[in-house]
Amino acid sequence: MEATKTTVLCFCSVLFFLTDVSCELVHVRSLVHFGTEGRPLLLSVDAKFPLEEAEIQGTWSHTKLNGARTTLVSFNKESEIMNMMYLKHLHFRHPNASLLIVKLNKDDEGYYHLSLNIEFYNQTGLIIKEERTIYVTVDEPVSTPVIEKKPSYAVIEDKANVTWTCSVEKGTRVVLQWLRDNAALTPSKRYHFIQDNSTLLISPVRKEDKGTYRCAASNPVSEIRKSRGVELNVYYGPYNLEVNSGQGLRTGEVFTINPGELVYFECQADSNPPNSYVWISKSRNATQIITEGPRLEVLSYKLAQTEEYMCRAFNNVTKKQDEAQFTLVVASLGTGKEKYTHDGKSVSPLAVIAVCSSFIIGFMLLFLLRTICHPKRVLMSIYNRPFSAQKRSHLSDAAKILRCGG
C-alpha cells in the first residue's frame, strides 16, 4: 500500500515537473466564501497526500480590495509564526494548513492566498509548489424592509402618479424587489425602477395597479425578507355598464314582458367608489328622470306597448359617466314563463306543443292509411268472399287498389 502511494506521488511530481500540469495535492473546498459579519469563518484545506511523507512550508496572505497585501502566517509541519497583529483574530490549524477567522469584520473582506512548498522525502531536491486563492465577502444580515407610498391617500386613474420607496436599517449588498399581490413587478412603460430598485414610480396610475404592495430584500447571507403590505387604492370607472333582468324575454337590448307583469331591472358597472345611478324614460320624444339607485321597478300595465329607457352611471370622484339604453316591449309571451331557445331564437311552449301534436297526428294517419290500403290484404278480402259477391265487388275493390297505389 505504501509503495503504491509512493509511486503515485512520484508520478505526480514528475508530471508536474515535466509538463507543468498539477495532480491536485491540495484541495480547497470553496474558492468563494460569503461570510457574515461578527461570525467565524473557516478557510478549509485538505491535503491529498500523506503528510508524514513530505516536508511542508507555506504562508497565508491577505489582499484587501484596495490592493494592500499582508502576510498573516508562515508555517511548516512543526510550527507557525503568526503576524502579531492577528494573534487574537486568526487561528492556524495543523496539520492541513486551514485558517480560521475568529470574528469577521469588514476589513477581512478580500483575497486570501495560500502558498505551499512540498518536498517528499523520497524525492529529495524536488519541490512542488501549490497555490490557492479564496475570495471572501463580509456582509451584514438584512433587516426587515420598510416601504412608504406618496401620496399616502387614494389616487384617481390617469390623473396621478405614485412613488414607492423601500429602505432597510441594516444590511450590505442588499438586493431589492417589488411585489404586487405577491407577484414580482418588472420595468414597463409605466413602471420605473430607480436607485437600485429602492424607488418605484408608477406613472400614470391605472385601475390594474390597485392591490397590496411589498418590498423584498435579500443579500448573500440573508434569506428574502418582506415588508408589510401597503394597499394602493385607485379610483376608476365606470366601466362595462349593463342592464339585466331575471324576468321576461331579452333579445339584444330589447326586453319583452307579459301584460300586467311586475319587472325589476338592475344596472351595474365596474367602478371605485361605487357609482350613483339614474333611470331615465325617453318616451314621447321627452326624457324624464324616473328614479335613482341601481334598481328599477316597472309595472307593465302602466306602460304603452313600447317604452325606451336609459340607465346612467356616474362616478362622483372620477367625474366620469356611462349610459346604457334599452327598449321595453309589453306583449303576451304565452301561458308559461319558460322560454326555449334554439340558435338564439326563442320558442313558446304552445308552439312546441303544436309541433309535437301535428307530428303525432300525421304518424297515426300514415299508419291507418297503410293498414287500409295494403294490396295483399285487399286481394285476400276479395277471394275470401262468396263467388257471387266477388263479381259485384270486383270493380270497386280493384278501383280501391288503384287509388291506394296512386
Side-chain angles (χ1 to χ4, degrees):
M1 188 67 173
E2 293 297 327
T4 303
K5 291 181 180 178
T6 303
T7 302
V8 172
L9 293 174
C10 289
F11 174 77
C12 287
S13 300
V14 172
L15 182 66
F16 175 77
F17 180 75
L18 295 176
T19 65
D20 201 31
V21 176
S22 174
C23 297
E24 187 180 58
L25 298 178
V26 175
H27 175 69
V28 174
R29 296 180 186 179
S30 177
L31 296 179
V32 178
H33 284 275
F34 300 104
T36 302
E37 188 173 1
R39 303 190 64 180
L41 178 66
L42 177 64
L43 307 181
S44 181
V45 179
D46 295 319
K48 297 296 184 179
F49 61 92
L51 292 173
E52 66 274 9
E53 296 183 5
E55 186 61 49
I56 300 173
Q57 289 182 343
T59 60
W60 274 104
S61 62
H62 175 219
T63 303
K64 295 184 178 182
L65 297 180
N66 61 10
R69 183 164 182 165
T70 303
T71 299
L72 303 176
V73 59
S74 301
F75 59 90
N76 57 30
K77 285 180 63 174
E78 289 76 28
S79 62
E80 76 274 356
I81 301 174
M82 182 72 68
N83 186 321
M84 293 184 63
M85 300 292 295
Y86 296 91
L87 286 176
K88 295 183 179 180
H89 191 59
L90 301 174
H91 287 171
F92 180 78
R93 292 191 172 182
H94 281 291
N96 58 6
S98 296
L99 185 67
L100 174 67
I101 305 174
V102 177
K103 188 177 181 180
L104 284 169
N105 58 54
K106 292 298 294 182
D107 288 337
D108 294 321
E109 199 166 74
Y111 298 91
Y112 289 78
H113 186 73
L114 171 64
S115 178
L116 282 176
N117 294 323
I118 304 171
E119 182 183 23
F120 291 98
Y121 293 138
N122 59 354
Q123 295 288 329
T124 303
L126 178 62
I127 298 176
I128 301 173
K129 190 174 185 64
E130 292 279 342
E131 294 186 349
R132 299 290 185 273
T133 299
I134 302 172
Y135 178 59
V136 174
T137 64
V138 180
D139 286 297
E140 181 184 31
V142 173
S143 60
T144 301
V146 176
I147 65 172
E148 184 180 358
K149 174 172 67 76
K150 292 183 180 180
S152 58
Y153 46 83
V155 294
I156 300 175
E157 181 184 41
D158 291 323
K159 292 185 178 180
N161 302 332
V162 171
T163 301
W164 297 89
T165 56
C166 179
S167 60
V168 293
E169 184 179 359
K170 297 180 180 179
T172 53
R173 271 186 281 263
V174 179
V175 176
L176 300 176
Q177 186 176 39
W178 289 95
L179 311 169
R180 183 183 67 237
D181 297 332
N182 291 321
L185 298 176
T186 56
S188 68
K189 291 182 178 179
R190 297 187 302 107
Y191 281 55
H192 307 280
F193 297 89
I194 308 169
Q195 297 175 349
D196 296 328
N197 282 8
S198 64
T199 301
L200 167 61
L201 172 63
I202 306 176
S203 175
V205 173
R206 299 263 174 87
K207 167 192 170 183
E208 56 267 27
D209 300 325
K210 64 186 179 71
T212 302
Y213 285 73
R214 287 182 172 84
C215 171
S218 63
N219 73 356
V221 296
S222 303
E223 294 183 355
I224 295 176
R225 307 194 68 169
K226 295 181 181 180
S227 69
R228 65 181 181 90
V230 176
E231 200 75 19
L232 175 59
N233 189 15
V234 181
Y235 294 135
Y236 62 89
Y239 294 127
N240 306 318
L241 179 65
E242 59 179 16
V243 175
N244 293 299
S245 177
Q247 299 157 284
L249 171 64
R250 179 174 185 175
T251 304
E253 301 305 320
V254 178
F255 293 86
T256 304
I257 60 174
N258 284 312
E261 188 175 7
L262 177 62
V263 184
Y264 297 97
F265 293 94
E266 296 285 344
C267 194
Q268 296 177 333
D270 185 16
S271 177
N272 180 39
N275 298 302
S276 58
Y277 296 94
V278 174
W279 295 90
I280 300 172
S281 172
K282 300 180 66 179
S283 59
R284 299 181 185 89
N285 296 323
T287 59
Q288 179 183 2
I289 296 178
I290 306 170
T291 186
E292 297 181 357
R295 193 176 195 190
L296 173 65
E297 178 182 304
V298 177
L299 297 171
S300 60
Y301 67 84
K302 293 184 178 181
L303 302 176
Q305 189 174 7
T306 301
E307 295 279 356
E308 298 288 334
Y309 290 93
M310 179 174 66
C311 172
R312 177 179 294 159
F314 181 73
N315 188 315
N316 295 306
V317 176
T318 65
K319 307 302 179 184
K320 295 180 181 180
Q321 69 177 33
D322 197 4
E323 297 175 346
Q325 302 186 38
F326 63 98
T327 302
L328 183 58
V329 178
V330 180
S332 178
L333 296 173
T335 56
K337 291 185 179 180
E338 299 82 11
K339 306 294 178 293
Y340 300 89
T341 303
H342 179 68
D343 294 336
K345 297 180 180 180
S346 299
V347 182
S348 69
L350 292 177
V352 175
I353 295 173
V355 172
C356 293
S357 300
S358 300
F359 179 82
I360 295 172
I361 293 171
F363 180 82
M364 292 178 64
L365 289 174
L366 181 62
F367 180 81
L368 183 60
L369 185 63
R370 181 177 178 83
T371 302
I372 295 174
C373 298
H374 199 286
K376 183 176 180 181
R377 292 180 180 175
V378 172
L379 291 174
M380 290 299 296
S381 65
I382 294 173
Y383 291 109
N384 287 337
R385 298 173 186 175
F387 183 75
S388 58
Q390 293 181 14
K391 291 182 177 180
R392 291 193 301 269
S393 62
H394 184 270
L395 293 175
S396 63
D397 289 337
K400 186 187 293 185
I401 293 174
L402 291 174
R403 287 197 301 271
C404 292

